[in-house]
Amino acid sequence: MPIVYPHKTAMPCRDPQERRRSWDEVAEGYTVERAIAEARRCLVCQDPVCEQGCPVNVPIRDFVRHVALGDFGGAAAAIRRRNLLPAICGRVCPVEHQCELRCVLFPHQDPVGIGRLERFVADWERSHGNGGETAAAEVWRDQKIAIVGSGPAGLTAASDLAQLGYPVTVFEALHAFGGVLRYGIPQYRLPKEIVDEDVAHLKALGVEFVRDVIIGKTVTIEQLIDELGYSAVFVGTGAGSPIFMNVPGENLKGIYSANEFLTRVNLMHAYSFPEYDTPIRQPRRAAIIGAGDTAMDAARCSVRLGAEEAHIVYRRSEREKGARAEDYERAREEGVIFDWLTVPTRFLGDDNGWVRGIECIRTELGEPDESGRRRPVPVPGSEFTMEADVVVIALGTNPNPLVPKTTQGLDVDRHGCIVADEQTGATSREGVYAGGDIVTGAATVILAMGAGRRAATAVHEYLQQRAAEKGGRDEQHDTPESGGRDGARQAGRHG
Ligand code: FAD
Ligand code: SF4
């Protein structure tokens, strides 16, 4: 039995004071020596239970063993078999609730740092010039497939279907691709060059990307199928519709939904003024309402935008916060102030309609509610006012309603999520599949990727079956020149 050091090998991070005003990546990643030391903590279990915690079934034991042996190329190949976006997942996956939670070392010792090792391998692969190269399809098929939304669900479905030889077109409402990876998660956690590289790999596979197309407005799902000749559609439109508090004053200037605030900062580079002239109110004293991942991102962005104080205002206690422990700790290090057990009751404005403060009341925790967390109960007489010139409402999001509203016969549940089979992503409309946040509500990158992968398999089976019913195999060609790709290009122009 090898000696297993009880603690994870530390991940070097930039100094908190320095990073308060910098958008560069906070975590610096493992060196070769640290990666090998961490990988050697793995027991190479006969039954690697950690893998059961990974929604896309990355062969964790095998890739970690390759790292321990210094074979980083072998590790990268093992990961690539199951995960299209390892540099992204290695940075943002909530591993503490997934693979690392299952690791046999835990809870007596720290689990193996699977996420850190995945990031190390992906970065090693990128720096050695072969990041993400995926085998091109061996056959090319004629049936065109439309992917709606370019978040992790859509990108994964697109990759798998392109590798099966289908002409795939991704339609994206925004002017840049990646979904939340692009517009939500800030640069200091996930450098956008990584998202660019992953999109570029898909383009190299032949996937067509069409931006600035809102499906449901510019063109409907019906039109994609009936007029533009798509044989199947995968909907991965996410959950980007913000939830508000509905308290007086919420429409004052300077109050943003987290999605709007983060989109202005990340997608539209509000931090790079005057190179980009995206307007955003420069915070002096920011208040972020909520305590999930999105709230931490908004608070840490406020700090980087120059706020003297950035407060997280949350109606429950520290224990109930939704944010990942790592991001919470980094927010604390960067000076974010936490006002637990506090709920806003009204936003106060100045004569010009800008927010200037928040009326709040303290709470205490009562019995658990339907979410299982203890319900916050206002404490009479504890009202107070706090100053704030920027407020960000980060209370969660609902599914984007446009596609369900404009697609006949597409069933949704009471939360507005598209109803889709968990294993296949099949919806109530034949030929229309869905996955990711639009089905589950706001969740995680890796869950969205898993849904995209399962749906891609199901779409392939559906199209093969349809072709068989028509009395023949689906149309296949040996090379791109003989047909398949041209269909995709044509579709892109239509989009
Ligand atoms: P999305 O990523 O939302 O992508 C959907 C795409 O569809 C978007 O690009 C959207 O513009 C496009 N679209 C929508 N409607 C249309 C339409 N009608 N026509 C065309 N295109 C359309 N998860 C983690 O695992 N780790 C984290 O650290 C993490 N941090 C997060 C931080 C923030 C600020 C947010 C908001 C979420 C975070 N998440 C995190 C959650 C995670 O990002 C999502 O669960 C995941 O991105 C969902 O993927 P998706 O493909 O379903 O949708
Ligand atoms: Fe290694 Fe932990 Fe997985 Fe076992 S459960 S193979 S120790 S990472």
Side-chain angles (χ1 to χ4, degrees):
M1 184 89 169
I3 299 169
V4 176
Y5 294 100
H7 298 298
K8 270 188 202 174
T9 309
M11 168 81 100
C13 280
R14 288 187 311 107
D15 177 72
Q17 280 311 316
E18 176 208 325
R19 65 191 201 229
R20 274 176 64 84
R21 295 290 180 263
S22 159
W23 296 87
D24 292 343
E25 193 171 11
V26 166
E28 293 176 319
Y30 276 159
T31 57
V32 165
E33 294 72 26
R34 283 180 194 243
I36 291 176
E38 182 57 22
R40 286 187 178 160
R41 295 182 62 238
C42 174
L43 302 180
V44 196
C45 304
Q46 201 167 13
D47 176 17
V49 282
C50 51
E51 294 175 12
Q52 293 166 14
C54 174
V56 296
N57 305 113
V58 166
I60 294 168
R61 177 190 59 189
D62 288 357
F63 102 72
V64 172
R65 198 187 49 195
H66 281 296
V67 176
L69 295 172
D71 173 14
F72 308 132
I79 295 175
R80 284 271 169 213
R81 283 205 297 276
R82 299 298 310 167
N83 189 348
L84 158 77
L85 310 171
I88 293 172
C89 293
R91 285 171 166 79
V92 305
C93 262
V95 283
E96 65 278 17
H97 300 302
Q98 295 174 338
C99 52
E100 293 189 12
L101 182 68
R102 304 281 185 103
C103 174
V104 290
L105 297 184
F106 187 71
H108 305 295
Q109 301 172 352
D110 284 353
V112 172
I114 299 168
R116 294 174 180 186
L117 288 172
E118 185 176 33
R119 171 191 163 149
F120 167 80
V121 171
D123 287 354
W124 181 91
E125 194 186 26
R126 290 170 62 226
S127 66
H128 285 71
N130 55 347
E133 263 145 47
T134 318
E138 286 170 7
V139 293
W140 303 94
R141 302 170 201 274
D142 278 347
Q143 296 134 306
K144 297 193 299 179
I145 297 165
I147 308 285
V148 185
S150 67
L155 293 180
T156 307
S159 164
D160 284 7
L161 288 163
Q163 286 177 75
L164 286 165
Y166 292 99
V168 176
T169 309
V170 176
F171 294 97
E172 169 56 52
L174 297 173
H175 63 268
F177 304 107
V180 172
L181 306 174
R182 170 78 53 184
Y183 75 77
I185 303 180
Q187 177 79 7
Y188 60 82
R189 275 211 296 134
L190 175 64
K192 299 306 158 220
E193 304 81 76
I194 294 175
V195 183
D196 292 339
E197 285 168 20
D198 286 328
V199 170
H201 293 139
L202 291 195
K203 287 183 180 167
L205 265 183
V207 175
E208 187 102 16
F209 281 85
V210 185
R211 58 187 186 158
D212 300 321
V213 175
I214 304 178
I215 302 298
K217 269 206 189 307
T218 323
V219 56
T220 61
I221 298 269
E222 266 90 15
Q223 287 173 311
L224 286 174
I225 296 171
D226 298 338
E227 296 172 21
L228 299 178
Y230 287 91
S231 302
V233 178
F234 173 76
V235 181
T237 45
S241 176
I243 295 172
F244 287 98
M245 299 196 70
N246 294 320
V247 300
E250 206 173 9
N251 57 356
L252 285 164
K253 290 183 280 184
I255 302 183
Y256 302 87
S257 72
N259 262 28
E260 180 186 346
F261 184 75
L262 291 171
T263 300
R264 282 175 188 250
V265 173
N266 300 317
L267 177 72
M268 300 170 76
H269 299 258
Y271 57 86
S272 295
F273 183 82
E275 197 187 334
Y276 291 81
D277 61 355
T278 304
I280 198 160
R281 191 174 210 204
Q282 209 65 34
R284 192 179 60 76
R285 194 176 155 126
I288 321 301
I289 318 299
D293 284 331
T294 309
M296 296 305 143
D297 285 343
R300 296 174 71 194
C301 283
S302 301
V303 168
R304 284 163 175 77
L305 286 171
E308 288 163 21
E309 285 186 16
H311 291 247
I312 289 274
V313 179
Y314 185 49
R315 60 194 182 138
R316 292 185 165 101
S317 73
E318 178 186 9
R319 203 187 149 123
E320 288 81 24
K321 68 183 183 313
R324 292 185 63 193
E326 192 172 87
D327 291 326
Y328 170 55
E329 205 40 55
R330 290 188 178 151
R332 290 181 76 92
E333 288 168 1
E334 289 165 13
V336 173
I337 300 162
F338 292 84
D339 297 293
W340 306 115
L341 296 168
T342 303
V343 66
T345 52
R346 190 155 77 102
F347 295 102
L348 308 169
D350 65 16
D351 294 342
N352 297 316
W354 287 95
V355 66
R356 64 174 174 81
I358 315 175
E359 256 180 34
C360 299
I361 188 164
R362 299 280 185 209
T363 60
E364 59 189 10
L365 295 181
E367 293 302 310
D369 61 16
E370 61 282 358
S371 74
R373 291 174 303 173
R374 292 177 65 195
R375 187 188 301 273
V377 182
V379 177
S382 67
E383 295 83 356
F384 69 101
T385 300
M386 71 186 286
E387 198 193 324
D389 55 2
V390 165
V391 173
V392 181
I393 312 284
L395 297 176
T397 50
N398 281 321
N400 287 329
L402 190 58
V403 166
K405 269 193 186 153
T406 54
T407 311
Q408 276 185 7
L410 193 61
D411 289 351
V412 292
D413 67 14
R414 66 192 174 94
H415 304 292
C417 297
I418 294 178
V419 176
D421 184 277
E422 209 177 312
Q423 288 312 313
T424 64
T427 69
S428 52
R429 277 285 308 250
E430 191 190 328
V432 179
Y433 293 74
D437 283 4
I438 186 67
V439 170
T440 55
T444 65
V445 170
I446 195 79
L447 286 171
M449 288 176 62
R453 166 148 296 162
R454 288 192 299 278
T457 306
V459 166
H460 177 48
E461 283 169 6
Y462 163 71
L463 292 178
Q464 286 203 312
Q465 190 184 341
R466 232 177 62 159
E469 282 164 8
K470 281 188 183 160
R473 285 153 51 80
D474 57 338
E475 285 293 319
Q476 293 184 10
H477 311 274
D478 291 336
T479 65
E481 287 70 32
S482 56
R485 286 310 88 169
D486 287 346
R489 289 205 188 93
Q490 189 67 20
R493 281 199 292 275
H494 282 304

